[in-house]
Amino acid sequence: MALELKDIQKSYREPDGTELPVLNVEHFLLGDTEQMALVGASGGGKTTLLNVISGISSPDRGSVTLDGTNVTRMPEPMRDRFRAERIGFVFQTFNLLQAFSALENVLLGMSFSGRKVSRTRAKELLEHVGLGGRLGHKPAQLSIGEQQRVAVARALANKPSLLLADEPTASIDVANQENILNLIRKSCEEEKVALLLVTHNLDIAQQFGRVEQLAEFNKVGGQS
Amino acid sequence: MNLFSIAFKSIKQRLLTSTLTSLSVALGVMMMIAVLVIFGIVDRTFNQQAIGYDLIVGPKGSDLQLVLSSVYRIAPAIETLPYDYYQQLKNDPRVEEAIPITMGDVTQQGGFPVVGTETTYFLREYAPGKKLLIRGDGFREAFDAIIGAEVARQNGWDIGSQFTLVHGGAESDCHHDEKFTVTGVLKRTGTPNDRTVFTHLNGFYAIAGHETPVEQMVKRYREFFRVIPGGEKDQELKDLIKQAKEEEAKSHGHYHGPDSTVMKDVSAIFLIMKAPPGESAATTSILFAAQVKKGFQAQAVNPIFPMQRLMTQFVGNIRQVLLALTIMIIVVSGIGIFVSIYNSMADRRREISIMRALGAQRTTVFAIILAESILLCFAGGVAGILLGHGLLFFVAPIVEAKSGLLVDPFSFEPIELVLLPALIVLASIVGIIPGLTAYRTDVAKNL
Ligand SMILES: Nc1ncnc2c1ncn2[C@@H]1O[C@H](COP(=O)(O)OP(=O)(O)O)[C@@H](O)[C@H]1O
Ligand SMILES: [Mg+2]
């Protein structure tokens, strides 16, 4: 299994002091190299779920197991390292560091893992996403679509076992959405990476073999 | 990519602010270097070790002025001593060697001080264990001159060069017509000798215009030696005046005074004392100095003491104050770096969160910010050291002209080695708070 969630609970404390339960997931599985689309209403907790999976946020209860390793119990520095090596991230927008060129953004993704930084692999990945000729361009010199491509290359740089994509096509013009989506899906397939992609675009979701509504397995608001 | 190259990227991203903050450090460091080097040179120049004489005998007055004028040649000479007194000291059994000097003229080109002396000056150690090395023949005739290395360099003189003197003093334009010829060039010593022109005592006396009226010389002579009226010397002096008057009347104004040692004077006399068996020359010096003080219109000064006084009470304190000021400038620059980085932290929350999402640990993002602060300080420090020596390169000739101090712009103070590590410490302190902001960034909130 690439990913297994057990009894995950997460709530936020609102400014007025009341508890806002966001996640309550009894059990969730994602197979190795499996690709899945997660849909759900805005504010439903999709981003929170991804953060809990990646270890950026800790759940109040329950456990996250990645590649057979219980991430929740790890001390934070180890979890960070684990994230660097096993998880790729693509956000909706502003994925890249402005001061770094496309190539440097990819190299940066490599430098936080314990593995060797490989310029060759970084270049190959950028060529693969169609940016072989723009290695030295800064994000400001790239279109949003191109920036997303760099983000995809960077997410795959460390050969992770899971790629988390949080509405990666939402900011891109319709004509390009399909391209980016295909790029992500094809790359994950080639690199043998499991994919959990959040979207509110049903056209996109429908292309996945597995589509799930967050609300269906996230029993918050007294439904549990 | 390591921490420093990551930090360097964000420095480049905010190039103007980074450059300005770094520059402020550089300016502080530059001033510190200038202070350190100049005072290092002052220290070495005026260090008591650098004087090879036990006593300096000169007219009564400020002992410091005597040393500054005779050894360092950066103050005007006080008055003069009769040449006969030099003879007397030279023959004193306690004195190993007496070296006379006369001063007052400067070279027309470059304004270098001219010192008239005897060949013995060049035979004695000018500092313990160090002797002057002369290229060339040295003194052969009255109008021969031996020049210091810096004089040779700046005036482009070498053996065979000829030059004239002007009478010293600021706006004096009293030229001497006599032409001197360079017959020796001294090897560089790092002492005031480098910028001195030495002529033979006889050459100095032979310069027209250096003579004082007979009556005046005799009057001074009488006062100095306390000549008893009616004695043998009294009569000799009276005869001298009488003879001079007769000669002058005959010569129709071309008479330059009688040929007597009474007519000659010296500015100072350097003494090297004999050490009695089982004692040091220092003991002889102390007793001798006390005796000079009582007996004649003169003082004998151990050059160490006035220089030590000058260094500790005056120069040392100024150095302390200036150093404190430059340290404050550097600390303020450090605060400037703090403000600049701290202000940028709000804009960088997103970037820090992205790095954390990519797997950077809290300590890593902390270290990146710290590295940024260190890079800015370090770059400022290195630039400051270069600028400091560059500044000295430009002020060296000015300092030299104004004070006679030889400033080597590339003179390196060992304390400069401490400067960069100290700056890194400052940078680390300055970087801690912004670094902690990075450390505490709530990643989930800022993605
Ligand atoms: N850091 C936070 N502090 C407090 N409330 C939060 C925080 N992050 C998200 N929330 C709240 O949690 C809920 C789920 O948010 P999110 O996971 O971003 O949903 P989605 O990604 O599905 O739109 C929302 O009501 C949001 O306001
Ligand atoms: Mg979201």
Side-chain angles (χ1 to χ4, degrees), chain A residues 43 46-48 166-167 198:
Chain A
K46 303 183 295 295
T47 299
T48 304
D166 197 352
E167 312 203 27
V198 170

Side-chain angles (χ1 to χ4, degrees), chain B residues 79-100:
Chain B
E79 253 294 325
T80 55
L81 300 169
Y83 183 83
D84 281 356
Y85 187 51
Y86 154 62
Q87 293 287 1
Q88 191 180 320
L89 292 185
K90 193 174 161 177
N91 296 326
D92 193 297
R94 291 162 294 178
V95 173
E96 163 99 21
E97 186 88 76
I99 304 166

Side-chain angles (χ1 to χ4, degrees), chain A residues 10 42 66-67 93 124 127 148 150 156 210:
Chain A
K10 174 87 181 164
S42 178
L66 272 160
D67 276 346
T93 47
E124 277 169 12
E127 267 160 36
Q148 288 304 78
V150 176
L156 295 169
R210 179 177 169 195

Side-chain angles (χ1 to χ4, degrees), chain A residues 12-14 20 22 41-49 166-167 214, chain B residues 442 444-445:
Chain A
Y12 288 117
R13 190 170 290 278
E14 301 245 63
L20 174 73
V22 179
S42 178
K46 303 183 295 295
T47 299
T48 304
L49 180 68
D166 197 352
E167 312 203 27
L214 178 61
Chain B
D442 184 340
K445 249 187 199 156

Side-chain angles (χ1 to χ4, degrees), chain A residues 76-77 83 93-94 99 104, chain B residues 1 9 350 356 361-362:
Chain A
E76 193 192 61
R83 175 165 66 251
T93 47
F94 305 119
E104 287 162 350
Chain B
M1 265 189 220
K9 292 281 166 197
R350 167 90 190 166
R356 291 292 316 279
Q361 298 171 7
R362 287 180 194 275

